[in-house]
């Protein structure tokens, strides 16, 4: 490749090349540049949006921590105006705060949105939490149905344990015991400190052996 000693020579070389080849490549060049700059613009735009969303997420969640349910409307506004990871995280944060505030309808609405429309990485988390909220609302059958839809193998133990909790609340100790055992079999004893206590509480009492009468 020829080395040019100054910018003027470079410009003249480009002009000469363009006179010979410009007509045949103009269409491809325009399309290529449009794609290149379009992609760069998209990446820059996405990066800017993510930074803005991150900052706003921090602001509204901090407000919720300080102001409690008075800031719920701010968080809901952020969720409605955004999509993606920060909106999903804000919904989970809002749901958690709503449960503590006794506003189960608000929690259920946010968890339903994430469970059904959120990113795949958080759908199962939202669905398990939603099942707990539904059970707390007295909707045990809906809660069990929601758990049955969770297919993520990583949540097998957690799903089984929550199912056991719901069945126990329905006064179905045998079914609850089976659910807790399924949770244990799926590794739940390593992730839930309470599972062993729940299983122990439902353990059948030892059957006493009748003493033989004296001969």
């Amino acid at each position: 490749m020829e080395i040019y000693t100054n910018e003027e020579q470079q410009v003249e070389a480009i002009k000469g090349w363009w006179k010979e080849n410009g007509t045949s490549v103009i269409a491809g060049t325009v399309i290529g540049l449009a794609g290149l700059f379009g992609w760069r613009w998209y990446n820059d735009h996405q990066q800017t949006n993510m930074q803005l969303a991150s900052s706003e997420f921090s602001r509204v969640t901090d407000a919720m921590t300080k102001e409690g349910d008075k800031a719920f409307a701010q968080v809901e506004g952020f969720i409605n105006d955004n999509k993606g990871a920060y909106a999903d995280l804000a919904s989970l944060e809002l749901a958690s705060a709503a449960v503590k505030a006794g506003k189960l309808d608000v929690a259920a609405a946010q968890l339903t949105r994430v469970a059904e429309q959120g990113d795949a990485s958080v759908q199962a988390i939202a669905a398990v939490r939603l099942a707990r909220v539904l059970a707390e609302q007295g909707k045990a059958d809906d809660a069990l149905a929601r758990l049955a839809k969770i297919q993520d193998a990583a949540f097998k133990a957690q799903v089984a344990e929550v199912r056991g909790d719901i069945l126990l609340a329905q006064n179905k100790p045998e079914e609850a015991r089976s659910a807790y055992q399924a949770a244990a079999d799926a590794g739940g004893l390593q992730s839930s400190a309470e599972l062993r206590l729940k299983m122990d509480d439902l353990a059948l009492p030892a059957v006493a052996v009748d003493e033989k009468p004296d001969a």
Side-chain angles (χ1 to χ4, degrees), residues 4 15 33 40 55 64 79 91 93 96 101 116-117 139 147 173 177 184 206 210:
Y4 300 101
K15 288 180 179 179
L33 287 174
R40 287 179 177 174
S55 177
M64 188 166 57
I79 294 166
S91 285
E93 292 282 345
S96 179
E116 296 179 353
Q117 302 172 22
K139 302 174 182 178
L147 290 174
R177 184 185 295 108
D210 293 335

Side-chain angles (χ1 to χ4, degrees), residues 81-94:
D81 292 340
N82 290 272
K83 294 181 180 179
Y86 285 111
D88 291 343
L89 291 174
S91 285
L92 294 177
E93 292 282 345
L94 176 54

Side-chain angles (χ1 to χ4, degrees), residues 127-128 131 142-150 158-159 162-163 166:
V128 171
D142 291 342
L144 293 172
R146 178 65 64 172
L147 290 174
K149 295 179 181 179
I150 301 174
Q158 193 172 355
V159 167
V162 175
R163 182 182 294 112
I166 295 170

Side-chain angles (χ1 to χ4, degrees), residues 91-96 98-99 103-118 122-150 155 158-159 162-163 165-166:
S91 285
L92 294 177
E93 292 282 345
L94 176 54
S96 179
V99 169
K103 298 187 176 184
L104 298 182
D105 288 343
V106 173
Q110 293 301 322
L111 292 172
T112 298
R113 188 197 71 79
V114 179
E116 296 179 353
Q117 302 172 22
V122 293
Q123 283 185 336
I125 295 172
V128 171
R129 293 183 181 183
L130 176 58
R132 290 189 182 278
V133 171
L134 291 171
E136 189 67 21
Q137 290 179 311
K139 302 174 182 178
D141 290 340
D142 291 342
L144 293 172
R146 178 65 64 172
L147 290 174
K149 295 179 181 179
I150 301 174
F155 286 81
Q158 193 172 355
V159 167
V162 175
R163 182 182 294 112
D165 293 343
I166 295 170

Side-chain angles (χ1 to χ4, degrees), residues 47-63 74 78 82 86-87:
Q47 183 66 25
T48 299
N49 283 348
M50 287 293 288
Q51 291 174 347
L52 291 174
S54 175
S55 177
E56 186 66 7
F57 170 79
S58 297
R59 186 186 71 79
V60 297
T61 52
D62 285 348
Q74 294 182 49
F78 170 81
N82 290 272
Y86 285 111

